[in-house]
């Protein structure tokens, strides 16, 4: 059955407040704030949890996974400096919320998820919202070589290391944002220069669900 999108003035008001909060926490990109302001985050969670949908918190979405905290989504997206038309690879589709934020910013999104349970609902919601990213069921450690190289790569689960396949799939001049670590993660920005040289810089600590090895 098709998903019906409900987005009332109340939802829009709550979302605007969330964006004000993100701005107060240091998110300055108007492109990022506008995108978050446009995506009905409540639709990504069970109706019973409306009051949580616009709090700046991560939330469980089933299969032991979470929808990322809005601040984390905003922070990672801002770091990527997305421009319209860029090809972006996302590892960890999860709820599909981050995917929609990237689509709203005009990116051509390729997103990989390793859990079947999560792979079923998000595509229907993403489509109902009017976006058409390419979604894959697979192992993010391998990236998605078929459509490589990518202008930008975003990893939305905690990676034990920076997978070599992802560095290989980044375009010269490209940027990757990846949380690296086991218990908590250091947000790491990897930049590939035009000669293919890699520079990485480390930022704040975050806590993500772990990037899990391939099931097969
Ligand atoms: N971007 C999501 C974040 C979801 S949490 C959102 O906006 O809601 C991280 C997701 O990464 C989970 O759905 C988890 O199943 C997925 N994941 C974990 N290990 C993975 C791997 N090796 N490859 C692809 N996805 C993975």
């Amino acid at each position: 059955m098709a998903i019906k999108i409900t987005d009332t003035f109340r939802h829009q008001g709550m979302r605007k407040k969330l964006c004000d909060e993100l701005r107060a926490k240091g998110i300055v990109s108007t492109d990022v704030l506008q995108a978050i302001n446009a995506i009905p985050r409540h639709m990504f969670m069970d109706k019973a949890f409306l009051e949580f949908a616009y709090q700046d918190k991560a939330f469980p979405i089933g299969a032991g996974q979470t929808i990322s905290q809005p601040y984390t989504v905003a922070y990672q997206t801002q770091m990527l400096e997305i421009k319209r038309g860029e090809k972006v690879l996302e590892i960890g589709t999860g709820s599909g919320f981050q995917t929609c934020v990237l689509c709203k910013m005009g990116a051509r999104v390729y997103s990989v998820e390793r859990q079947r349970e999560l792979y079923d609902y998000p595509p229907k919601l993403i489509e109902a919202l009017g976006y058409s990213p390419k979604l894959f069921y697979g192992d993010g450690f391998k990236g998605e070589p078929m459509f490589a190289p990518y202008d930008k790569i975003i990893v939305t689960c905690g990676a034990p290391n920076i997978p070599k396949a992802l560095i290989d799939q980044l375009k010269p001049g490209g940027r990757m944002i990846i949380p690296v670590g086991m218990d908590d993660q250091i947000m790491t920005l990897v930049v590939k220069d035009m000669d293919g040289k890699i520079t990485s810089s480390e930022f704040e600590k975050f806590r993500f669900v772990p990037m899990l090895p391939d099931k097969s």
Side-chain angles (χ1 to χ4, degrees):
M1 213 181 67
I3 296 170
K4 189 174 168 284
I5 308 293
T6 336
D7 192 28
T8 64
F9 283 125
R10 176 157 181 242
H11 296 130
Q12 290 162 24
M14 288 166 96
R15 206 150 61 235
K16 189 173 170 299
K17 266 178 80 181
L18 170 65
C19 288
D20 290 344
E21 202 180 323
L22 296 177
R23 200 176 290 115
K25 289 182 179 171
I27 303 301
V28 292
S29 162
T30 47
D31 288 350
V32 171
L33 289 167
Q34 273 171 10
I36 290 180
N37 196 39
I39 310 295
R41 190 170 188 261
H42 61 279
M43 292 297 307
F44 293 78
M45 295 164 52
D46 193 284
K47 267 207 189 82
F49 301 123
L50 173 61
E51 61 196 290
F52 297 100
Y54 293 110
Q55 289 179 2
D56 188 21
K57 292 196 176 125
F59 202 81
I61 51 165
Q65 301 301 326
T66 55
I67 173 167
S68 296
Q69 185 182 343
Y71 175 72
T72 308
V73 172
Y75 187 98
Q76 287 195 284
T77 312
Q78 178 167 275
M79 281 276 189
L80 283 180
E81 300 178 357
I82 302 286
K83 291 175 201 69
R84 296 197 80 79
E86 281 183 339
K87 257 170 92 176
V88 180
L89 174 66
E90 176 188 28
I91 305 301
T93 315
S95 67
F97 178 71
Q98 169 80 69
T99 317
C100 288
V101 168
L102 293 166
C103 289
K104 177 69 195 170
M105 293 178 77
R108 288 179 289 143
V109 184
Y110 300 76
S111 185
V112 182
E113 172 58 53
R114 77 181 274 288
Q115 303 219 57
R116 272 262 184 239
E117 288 145 273
L118 292 180
Y119 189 67
D120 287 339
Y121 177 72
K124 295 193 194 97
L125 176 57
I126 294 169
E127 190 192 328
L129 289 169
Y131 302 116
S132 40
K134 286 199 166 47
L135 304 175
F136 303 90
Y137 170 62
D139 175 19
F141 279 98
K142 302 193 181 86
E144 189 47 64
M146 224 162 41
F147 295 91
Y150 302 94
D151 297 290
K152 308 283 161 72
I153 298 179
I154 177 169
V155 179
T156 71
C157 36
N161 51 48
I162 304 175
K164 182 171 179 302
L166 298 186
I167 294 180
D168 291 345
Q169 290 171 31
L170 198 58
K171 259 187 206 170
R175 295 161 84 86
M176 163 160 58
I177 187 81
I178 176 169
V180 184
M182 297 303 280
D183 291 337
D184 45 25
Q185 293 84 25
I186 306 268
M187 193 61 82
T188 307
L189 178 69
V190 177
V191 177
K192 189 184 258 189
D193 75 11
M194 294 317 272
D195 302 321
K197 196 170 134 282
I198 300 296
T199 317
S200 64
S201 7
E202 297 182 343
F203 295 86
E204 278 123 273
K205 272 198 178 157
F206 284 81
R207 189 164 277 221
F208 284 78
V209 299
M211 184 168 182
L212 300 167
D214 198 2
K215 272 184 173 172
S216 58

Short mmCIF file of all heavy atoms in Angstrom, two decimals, residues 140-143 153 161-170 176 178 192 198:
data_model
loop_
_atom_site.label_atom_id
_atom_site.label_comp_id
_atom_site.label_asym_id
_atom_site.label_seq_id
_atom_site.Cartn_x
_atom_site.Cartn_y
_atom_site.Cartn_z
N GLY A 140 28.59 -2.42 3.08
CA GLY A 140 29.20 -1.11 2.93
C GLY A 140 30.72 -1.11 2.91
O GLY A 140 31.33 -0.17 2.39
N PHE A 141 31.35 -2.12 3.48
CA PHE A 141 32.82 -2.19 3.44
C PHE A 141 33.31 -2.25 1.99
O PHE A 141 34.43 -1.87 1.70
CB PHE A 141 33.34 -3.42 4.20
CG PHE A 141 33.39 -3.22 5.69
CD1 PHE A 141 32.37 -3.68 6.50
CD2 PHE A 141 34.46 -2.56 6.28
CE1 PHE A 141 32.40 -3.49 7.87
CE2 PHE A 141 34.52 -2.37 7.65
CZ PHE A 141 33.47 -2.84 8.46
N LYS A 142 32.44 -2.75 1.12
CA LYS A 142 32.83 -2.89 -0.30
C LYS A 142 32.41 -1.67 -1.11
O LYS A 142 32.72 -1.57 -2.30
CB LYS A 142 32.18 -4.14 -0.90
CG LYS A 142 32.53 -5.43 -0.17
CD LYS A 142 32.12 -6.63 -1.02
CE LYS A 142 32.42 -7.95 -0.35
NZ LYS A 142 31.34 -8.41 0.56
N GLY A 143 31.63 -0.76 -0.51
CA GLY A 143 31.12 0.39 -1.25
C GLY A 143 30.13 -0.07 -2.30
O GLY A 143 29.42 -1.07 -2.12
N ILE A 153 31.35 10.73 -0.10
CA ILE A 153 30.92 9.48 0.54
C ILE A 153 30.61 9.79 2.01
O ILE A 153 31.37 10.49 2.67
CB ILE A 153 32.01 8.38 0.46
CG1 ILE A 153 32.30 8.03 -1.02
CG2 ILE A 153 31.58 7.13 1.24
CD1 ILE A 153 33.38 6.97 -1.24
N ASN A 161 37.65 0.95 10.86
CA ASN A 161 38.77 1.58 10.15
C ASN A 161 38.19 2.23 8.90
O ASN A 161 37.00 2.12 8.64
CB ASN A 161 39.82 0.51 9.76
CG ASN A 161 39.17 -0.66 9.04
OD1 ASN A 161 38.39 -0.47 8.10
ND2 ASN A 161 39.44 -1.87 9.49
N ILE A 162 39.05 2.89 8.12
CA ILE A 162 38.55 3.50 6.88
C ILE A 162 38.69 2.45 5.76
O ILE A 162 39.81 2.13 5.37
CB ILE A 162 39.33 4.78 6.53
CG1 ILE A 162 39.27 5.76 7.71
CG2 ILE A 162 38.78 5.43 5.26
CD1 ILE A 162 40.10 7.02 7.55
N PRO A 163 37.58 1.89 5.28
CA PRO A 163 37.69 0.81 4.28
C PRO A 163 38.39 1.31 3.01
O PRO A 163 38.05 2.37 2.48
CB PRO A 163 36.23 0.44 3.99
CG PRO A 163 35.46 0.90 5.18
CD PRO A 163 36.17 2.13 5.67
N LYS A 164 39.36 0.50 2.55
CA LYS A 164 40.14 0.89 1.38
C LYS A 164 39.24 1.04 0.14
O LYS A 164 39.44 1.95 -0.68
CB LYS A 164 41.23 -0.16 1.12
CG LYS A 164 42.11 0.22 -0.05
CD LYS A 164 43.32 -0.65 -0.20
CE LYS A 164 44.14 -0.20 -1.41
NZ LYS A 164 43.38 -0.23 -2.68
N ALA A 165 38.23 0.15 0.03
CA ALA A 165 37.33 0.21 -1.14
C ALA A 165 36.67 1.59 -1.23
O ALA A 165 36.45 2.10 -2.34
CB ALA A 165 36.26 -0.87 -1.02
N LEU A 166 36.37 2.19 -0.08
CA LEU A 166 35.70 3.50 -0.11
C LEU A 166 36.67 4.59 -0.57
O LEU A 166 36.29 5.48 -1.34
CB LEU A 166 35.11 3.83 1.27
CG LEU A 166 34.04 2.86 1.78
CD1 LEU A 166 33.43 3.36 3.08
CD2 LEU A 166 32.94 2.65 0.74
N ILE A 167 37.92 4.51 -0.12
CA ILE A 167 38.92 5.48 -0.58
C ILE A 167 39.10 5.35 -2.10
O ILE A 167 39.13 6.34 -2.82
CB ILE A 167 40.26 5.27 0.15
CG1 ILE A 167 40.08 5.60 1.64
CG2 ILE A 167 41.37 6.13 -0.46
CD1 ILE A 167 41.31 5.43 2.50
N ASP A 168 39.14 4.11 -2.56
CA ASP A 168 39.32 3.87 -4.00
C ASP A 168 38.15 4.43 -4.81
O ASP A 168 38.34 4.85 -5.96
CB ASP A 168 39.41 2.35 -4.30
CG ASP A 168 40.70 1.76 -3.76
OD1 ASP A 168 41.62 2.54 -3.42
OD2 ASP A 168 40.78 0.52 -3.66
N GLN A 169 36.94 4.41 -4.22
CA GLN A 169 35.75 4.83 -4.97
C GLN A 169 35.47 6.34 -4.89
O GLN A 169 34.47 6.82 -5.40
CB GLN A 169 34.53 4.03 -4.48
CG GLN A 169 34.62 2.57 -4.91
CD GLN A 169 33.57 1.68 -4.29
OE1 GLN A 169 32.46 2.12 -4.00
NE2 GLN A 169 33.91 0.42 -4.09
N LEU A 170 36.39 7.05 -4.22
CA LEU A 170 36.26 8.51 -4.11
C LEU A 170 36.95 9.17 -5.31
O LEU A 170 38.06 8.79 -5.67
CB LEU A 170 36.92 8.95 -2.80
CG LEU A 170 36.60 10.30 -2.19
CD1 LEU A 170 35.10 10.44 -1.92
CD2 LEU A 170 37.38 10.46 -0.87
N MET A 176 35.16 12.43 1.94
CA MET A 176 34.39 11.37 2.64
C MET A 176 34.32 11.73 4.12
O MET A 176 35.32 12.12 4.71
CB MET A 176 35.10 10.01 2.47
CG MET A 176 34.64 8.96 3.47
SD MET A 176 34.97 7.26 2.97
CE MET A 176 36.73 7.25 2.77
N ILE A 178 33.44 10.03 7.76
CA ILE A 178 33.30 8.68 8.32
C ILE A 178 33.63 8.69 9.81
O ILE A 178 34.68 9.20 10.20
CB ILE A 178 34.19 7.68 7.51
CG1 ILE A 178 34.16 6.27 8.12
CG2 ILE A 178 35.64 8.15 7.36
CD1 ILE A 178 34.78 5.18 7.24
N LYS A 192 40.50 13.60 -0.89
CA LYS A 192 41.41 13.10 -1.93
C LYS A 192 41.72 14.27 -2.86
O LYS A 192 40.78 14.86 -3.42
CB LYS A 192 40.73 11.97 -2.70
CG LYS A 192 41.66 11.22 -3.65
CD LYS A 192 40.88 10.18 -4.47
CE LYS A 192 41.08 8.79 -3.91
NZ LYS A 192 40.51 7.74 -4.80
N ILE A 198 45.79 11.44 -0.27
CA ILE A 198 44.76 11.41 0.77
C ILE A 198 45.20 12.18 2.02
O ILE A 198 46.32 12.01 2.49
CB ILE A 198 44.51 9.93 1.21
CG1 ILE A 198 44.05 9.09 0.03
CG2 ILE A 198 43.53 9.84 2.36
CD1 ILE A 198 42.72 9.49 -0.54
#
